[in-house]
Amino acid sequence: MTGGEAVAVAHPNIALAKYWGKRAGEGNYPAVPSLSVTLDGLSTTTRVRFDGALAADGLVLDGKPADGEPLARVVALLDRVRARAHRSDRAEVVSTNDFPTASGLASSASGFAALALAASRAAGLDLDAPAISDLARRSSASAARSVFGGFVELEVGVDAARALAPADHVDVRVLVCVTSERPKSTGSTAGMRTTAERSPYFAAWLAEAPRLFASARAALLARDVEALGAATEASALAMHASAIAAGVVYFRPATLAALEEVRALRAAGTGAWATMDAGPHVKVLVRGADAAAARDRLAAVPGVLRILEARPGEGARVEEAPRPTS
Ligand code: PMV
């Protein structure tokens, strides 16, 4: 079989209980469990077209042809799809984000979730969501979570993420405080590797992360936003403390200024909790009713360039081709 085309859309997710560190061995399995919320509003749209006439796989990312590592990671996923579909034709991949790529806004999560879904469909495979999640996880473990909507968990040693609660389970928003439009300096894989190799606190992180995950999970299921927020901020700070001790510093002055404002909001009685990933942005978890006021305060923080406000969103989906009208 040759040819075949599909388009998929996926949203980024923000980990409330962080994944940081990989299990030894092959397969890109996380060393700790994680829990995330998939975001609406922000999205990646990816078109995959297999074509027997192509000499090599190609990638166009946000309108520009890509090569090097981004292309190599796409080819690795396409190779897994081809092996599964027993085919060898090459593909053209066109992917567009409506938010800054590689800046710590989890574009790899939505990117590989959309790619896994579009590539498997284009190749003629009809995989279920756990199989798509497994395919995405091997490229970027956080991408396994973006296959599902709402609140999602990825346990240790499993192949796929799992939906834990639907998007409307709790009325929360994530305020993404963008502090830079530049790509991040250290990607998550390199940051995790350096942390594992050099941080005197990596073992402490590995011991603490499952406890923070369990607290976040229980709080979510109990709809206890206060406890969920506390576990969320604690997980991010513990992850970054382990990374910082290895010299892996993602914080910029604006990151600390936004963190300070989140603490000031809490001191003034507004529930707001911060989380940061492999980049300088601060994502703030708030109740729906507090979103507008918290947003105004955070927008005034020096170095916060803009704020994207997201609700819990849906999982990855295939964009159906328009049907002919006659
Ligand atoms: O899946 P990766 O390689 O993009 O790593 C994600 C790491 C964090 O975003 C920092 C945490 C997480 O659980 O998403």
Side-chain angles (χ1 to χ4, degrees):
M1 179 179 173
T2 60
E5 182 171 340
V7 179
V9 177
H11 303 293
N13 69 78
I14 298 294
L16 304 176
K18 298 294 185 201
Y19 145 55
W20 194 251
K22 298 179 196 290
R23 214 174 66 174
E26 294 299 298
N28 198 38
Y29 287 93
V32 297
S34 58
L35 190 158
S36 61
V37 55
T38 303
L39 305 181
D40 78 349
L42 319 177
S43 55
T44 300
T45 303
T46 301
R47 175 186 301 273
V48 176
R49 187 176 61 83
F50 284 97
D51 183 343
L54 290 172
D57 293 319
L59 170 65
V60 177
L61 197 52
D62 287 329
K64 295 189 204 88
D67 52 15
E69 204 204 316
L71 175 63
R73 291 181 72 186
V74 164
V75 171
L77 192 149
L78 293 171
D79 283 343
R80 290 198 296 277
V81 169
R82 279 187 283 258
R84 199 154 175 165
H86 307 292
R87 56 192 290 164
S88 58
D89 52 338
R90 305 290 115 181
E92 177 193 76
V93 175
V94 179
S95 189
T96 312
N97 294 304
D98 62 7
F99 56 94
T101 304
S103 57
L105 282 187
S107 61
S108 72
S110 51
F112 285 109
L115 178 65
L117 183 55
S120 57
R121 267 314 164 89
L125 295 171
D126 189 15
L127 304 181
D128 61 10
I132 300 287
S133 180
D134 180 25
L135 199 51
R137 182 191 50 72
R138 289 168 193 275
S139 295
S140 163
S142 60
R145 301 185 311 237
S146 272
V147 172
F148 300 95
F151 297 85
V152 182
E153 65 182 344
L154 179 58
E155 287 175 295
V156 168
V158 302
D159 289 324
R162 197 160 69 97
L164 190 58
D168 62 359
H169 178 72
V170 281
D171 181 25
V172 292
R173 305 282 186 279
V174 176
L175 303 172
V176 180
C177 303
V178 178
T179 59
S180 162
E181 308 284 0
R182 288 205 308 265
K184 60 190 169 192
S185 49
T186 308
S188 52
T189 297
M192 288 181 204
R193 195 186 314 117
T194 305
T195 306
E197 285 170 4
R198 298 202 203 136
S199 177
Y201 304 137
F202 187 59
W205 160 252
L206 293 180
E208 188 62 10
R211 290 196 280 269
L212 292 165
F213 165 80
S215 305
R217 191 181 193 277
L220 173 73
L221 294 177
R223 296 191 170 86
D224 183 343
V225 175
E226 185 89 29
L228 177 63
T232 295
E233 193 166 303
S235 175
L237 292 176
M239 174 204 130
H240 282 278
S242 74
I244 288 169
V248 178
V249 183
Y250 293 106
F251 292 1
R252 306 287 308 138
T255 313
L256 294 171
L259 255 175
E260 196 62 34
E261 190 56 42
V262 167
R263 283 159 196 254
L265 277 163
R266 278 209 299 274
T270 301
W273 300 273
T275 186
M276 292 72 63
D277 293 293
H281 314 296
V282 178
K283 294 96 179 202
V284 182
L285 182 74
V286 291
R287 292 185 181 85
D290 294 330
R295 188 179 173 148
D296 285 350
R297 292 276 298 268
L298 289 160
V301 171
V304 171
L305 305 176
R306 61 199 169 99
I307 295 182
L308 313 170
E309 181 175 336
R311 293 168 185 260
E314 298 307 318
R317 64 184 157 82
V318 171
E319 194 98 300
E320 301 297 343
R323 289 173 193 280
T325 45
S326 58

